[in-house]
Amino acid sequence: MQISRRTQADRTAATRTALIAAGRRLFAEHGFAGVGTETIVRDADVSRGALYHHFGDKTELFAAVLADVEGEVTQQLAATIDADADFVTLMMRSVQAWLDACQRPEVQRIVLIDGPAVLGWARWREICQPHILGLIEGVLAVGVRDETLKELPVKPLAHVLLAVADEAALYVGASQEPEAARRDMEAVIRPLVEALLRR
């Protein structure tokens, strides 16, 4: 009996994973509006009933896909954090890693463009909170606590910095000369980060 339950749990997990993987590929390539549920279930090789059982509808699948992409990008950004680096170096490395990640169509389309449009700002941020936004808040909280940074409210400051990072990614992504746009954007962001230091 226990083996049967474990097998069912494995099947359930595999179905969910297949739907998220299919949604991720399709939403990145065609956008949320350009993908129907029939295409998703066909790509995932599951039934339409499986989609509705696991996610309720396409929007809820999209929310799960967004969380999946956000989690992956957050892990990549966390890997760039060097505890021995000074704050400005750490933040600029994070900006560079973020801009690298945003060159991928799935991040550009799912996280930056369709995310807020499909889910609304509040739900989009709710999904981002434990991921990239939470990572930024953590770094800032340490900086304020050890008196490296000016004593500013951490949560709103994290939102401001994330807005800067998101706009930077959209600006670079839309540019006809992305390398030049990226250099310019990094040159603009550095003094903003330096201005947070306690003098």
Side-chain angles (χ1 to χ4, degrees), residues 102-122:
C102 290
Q103 290 180 345
R104 302 201 317 260
E106 62 185 356
V107 178
Q108 185 83 209
R109 188 67 179 258
I110 294 168
V111 175
L112 297 175
I113 297 172
D114 280 355
V118 171
L119 301 175
W121 190 88

Side-chain angles (χ1 to χ4, degrees), residues 19 27 32 37 40 48-64 118-119 123:
L19 283 163
F27 293 144
F32 178 83
T37 54
I40 293 168
R48 181 186 288 272
L51 170 63
Y52 294 126
H53 171 74
H54 285 279
F55 298 103
D57 60 19
K58 186 174 78 163
T59 300
E60 289 307 307
L61 171 62
F62 180 83
V118 171
L119 301 175
R123 179 89 190 277

Side-chain angles (χ1 to χ4, degrees), residues 125 133 136 140 154-166:
R125 272 291 171 255
L133 187 59
I136 294 172
L140 293 174
V154 167
K155 185 176 276 296
L157 179 56
H159 278 268
V160 167
L161 292 179
L162 186 57
V164 169
D166 287 349

